[in-house]
Amino acid sequence: MSEEQHVEQSGSSGGVSIGAMTGGAVASGPGANAEDRSQRVGGADAVPDVSGLTVPAPAAGGVSIGVLTGGAVASGPDARAVDASVRMGASARQLLEALAELRGQLPLFARVEGNGVSEVEQEVTAVHTSLQESGTAPRTRLERLRGLLRSSTTVVSGLASAVAVVQAIEQFLG
């Protein structure tokens, strides 16, 4: 019997060997599950100085990684790895913060036909959700929200938080 067949029959795995890791998720063993659902601000993580790094080889059936800067790794029978992380630029993070501030002030206004509060609230919620889930938002939604907040017919347009959202949208859109 080969070593590989023995590993399959015994249900064990060779494990995971990583030299340097700056984010992500790792799981090893029967039914292993690794998920990375983090939100990271900025560009790709800098790779650490790995000069002289020796990564030990894993046992048969395992995984060996020199450097891992995010993602998900799972090893073993029924293993499952999910990388649902979101990399968010600084402008997206700034927009999220501005949206949260405005969102906190919207309950102070009555929802009256024609004052724009309901429309603003709907767009703020949609943009906020999209940013959190994917790190971006549809341009059409951003432009609609910006237009609503600039409109003199929207009662919330005079709020400092509304002005901050407009500025954050303009920076986000570039």
Side-chain angles (χ1 to χ4, degrees):
M1 172 185 302
S2 74
E3 205 174 296
E4 187 174 323
Q5 289 170 330
H6 175 70
V7 169
E8 274 184 39
Q9 288 178 352
S10 70
S12 65
S13 65
V16 178
S17 175
I18 300 173
M21 181 174 173
T22 61
V26 177
S28 179
N33 184 27
E35 293 192 23
D36 180 7
R37 297 188 181 278
S38 61
Q39 286 189 351
R40 295 184 185 95
V41 177
D45 295 335
V47 176
D49 179 11
V50 292
S51 56
L53 176 70
T54 303
V55 181
V63 178
S64 180
I65 300 170
V67 177
L68 181 67
T69 60
V73 177
S75 173
D78 302 317
R80 180 171 103 72
V82 176
D83 180 8
S85 61
V86 175
R87 184 156 308 275
M88 192 175 296
S91 63
R93 176 62 67 192
Q94 181 182 8
L95 180 53
L96 266 177
E97 291 170 5
L99 288 167
E101 175 97 15
L102 177 58
R103 200 177 205 182
Q105 293 176 337
L106 289 177
L108 301 173
F109 294 90
R111 272 62 177 169
V112 178
E113 183 70 31
N115 74 356
V117 176
S118 293
E119 293 86 353
V120 168
E121 189 169 48
Q122 180 180 349
E123 292 303 317
V124 165
T125 300
V127 169
H128 189 269
T129 300
S130 183
L131 281 169
Q132 284 194 310
E133 290 176 356
S134 67
T136 192
R139 184 176 198 89
T140 54
R141 281 225 181 257
L142 292 166
E143 289 171 347
R144 175 162 163 64
L145 178 57
R146 180 176 61 188
L148 285 168
L149 295 175
R150 284 181 170 167
S151 170
S152 60
T153 61
T154 305
V155 297
V156 299
S157 64
L159 292 174
S161 60
V163 173
V165 169
V166 169
Q167 291 171 342
I169 288 171
E170 288 173 354
Q171 186 175 3
F172 184 81
L173 292 174

